Amino acid sequence: MAYDDSLMAPEPVSPGQARDVLVIGSGFVGLCSALWLQRLGHRVTIVDRDPPLPGSSYRHACSYGNACTIATYAVTPVALPGIVWRVPGMLANPFGPLAIIWRYMPHLAPWLRGFVSCSSPREVERIATVLERLLGHAEAAFAPLHAEAGTAQMLRRGGSLYLYKSEQEYREEEDYIALHRRHGVRFDVVDKAAIRDLEPNVAPLYHRGLYFRDAHHLSSPRDVAFAFAQSFLKRGGTFLKGEVRGLTPTSAGLLAEFGHMSHPAQTVVVAAGAWSSALAGIMGDDILLDTERGYHVLFPEAGDLISRPVCFAEQGFYMVPMADGLRAAGTVELGGLALPMREARTEAIRAGVARFIPKAGRATDEWMGFRPSMPDSLPVIGPSPADPRVIYAFGHGHLGVTLAAVTGRLVADLVSQRQPFLDLAPLRPIRFSRWGKPLDQR
């Protein structure tokens, strides 16, 4: 993917154009948006119920528990052609990559309709083109943030490996593989011997694989988030602790209300992940955002057993070597924000790791988080139709960490009232009706 550093050195705005900006959310998208806004000369405050500061666990954040991979190859949306016929088989497999909490289905139905509408070959090609353009700037947008925060040493550049158990499973992915080729993704098709050389501790339950050489991962997304927070403070930023419950337009901007406090801002950036749709609703914007509940399990004694993220395509989760052990993360459970963690999902991950990496040992930590996901696998980046002083930056699904910095760079353009360097029309907030019908997709 392209590394265009010229776009990542924009001129700051003039002092008269600098704005007081409130960023709601301190996940990777919120932090990167705040850092890019500061780089362009704006005065920024971040509000979050538990920001990444000393004494915080940060466990509530999706950015804490993700699969840690900067997946610059991930041009394929989740909804691929034929997905509707594959779902029953996924649901029937207790160790499979997908689960649905059925009592949530009435609420989920419009999102699922939108999801299915995005699975046609034409729509998949359109979405992949948009993702290709975003991903092409992902590393470039992160580079100055890592340089300033001193976090470049937390990047592990060993690529990423997708494994297929049989020739049939591999052949069933031919369209997926061809889509990557059409969109400029570099990868090698590797055989059993090559896989064994790359990852000798992975059980030989594979036929062949895809090796995405340009991918990399973070040794600790939590530590990166804390370092970014310190960069933000050093540039004069402010953190407020609280949960925003109201946004009131005023003649000077907006008033954010949380707890017994309120905070004025000329511009508000909503980067609250899966909780963002409620804030958009306060503004009168009905955005078809829903939640994929993702899980991880940590194996502290297994961090050195593999050298890169490894994904068994059949089971749909990553095993990632990290500073504190092996993190097995992923799976999709559709069930909203309110219901508790389900032990069946973490048991499925444990069983998978025991099968694929027999030496992994005992797991000591389990986690569940909420991926904010749009039906088309594209984020929401753009102004509120109700009030352009509110900028939305959420809905990144499985690419929240990967696309965080390029999202922040685009948010900085929008707040600075500059023409964004990418076309944001496909990412506009209202692109589905409340019943899941696509609206004038471009």
Side-chain angles (χ1 to χ4, degrees), residues 155-333:
L155 302 179
R156 301 288 183 264
R157 296 189 177 276
S160 181
L161 193 59
Y162 271 59
L163 302 181
Y164 301 95
K165 67 178 182 180
S166 66
E167 181 67 15
Q168 178 182 348
E169 186 179 84
Y170 175 76
R171 292 298 177 194
E172 288 172 354
E173 296 289 284
E174 284 182 339
D175 289 343
Y176 167 88
I177 296 167
L179 187 69
H180 281 83
R181 286 199 176 98
R182 288 198 301 276
H183 290 275
V185 177
R186 298 194 305 169
F187 62 91
D188 300 326
V189 178
V190 287
D191 61 14
K192 284 185 177 182
I195 296 167
R196 186 173 59 251
D197 290 343
L198 287 167
E199 298 296 351
N201 289 312
V202 174
L205 304 173
Y206 43 76
H207 170 71
R208 68 174 74 188
L210 304 180
Y211 180 30
F212 297 100
R213 292 181 177 271
D214 295 335
H216 54 282
H217 70 281
L218 305 175
S219 62
S220 172
R222 180 187 183 277
D223 289 351
V224 173
F226 274 65
F228 280 9
Q230 291 304 308
S231 282
F232 172 72
L233 290 172
K234 288 175 184 177
R235 279 185 170 264
T238 302
F239 280 103
L240 298 174
K241 293 189 74 170
E243 195 166 340
V244 175
R245 300 290 189 181
L247 288 172
T248 304
T250 69
S251 59
L254 297 112
L255 193 66
E257 301 160 2
F258 45 99
H260 300 293
M261 299 175 58
S262 61
H263 186 85
Q266 293 172 291
T267 303
V268 170
V269 177
V270 177
W275 291 268
S276 297
S277 58
L279 294 168
I282 291 171
M283 299 304 301
D285 295 325
D286 193 358
I287 300 176
L288 197 62
L289 181 78
D290 219 293
T291 306
E292 296 181 36
R293 296 149 54 94
Y295 291 80
H296 87 222
V297 179
L298 180 70
F299 295 79
E301 300 171 2
D304 60 352
L305 292 181
I306 59 175
S307 301
R308 57 190 53 79
V310 176
C311 176
F312 271 83
E314 176 192 25
Q315 199 149 345
F317 70 86
Y318 279 85
M319 297 170 290
V320 187
M322 297 178 60
D324 57 353
L326 177 76
R327 176 179 290 185
T331 78
V332 171
E333 181 178 68

Side-chain angles (χ1 to χ4, degrees), residues 8-33:
M8 302 307 154
E11 289 292 322
V13 299
S14 67
Q17 294 174 311
R19 303 183 70 78
D20 294 310
V21 185
L22 180 70
V23 175
I24 303 174
S26 64
F28 265 68
V29 173
L31 289 168
C32 290
S33 295

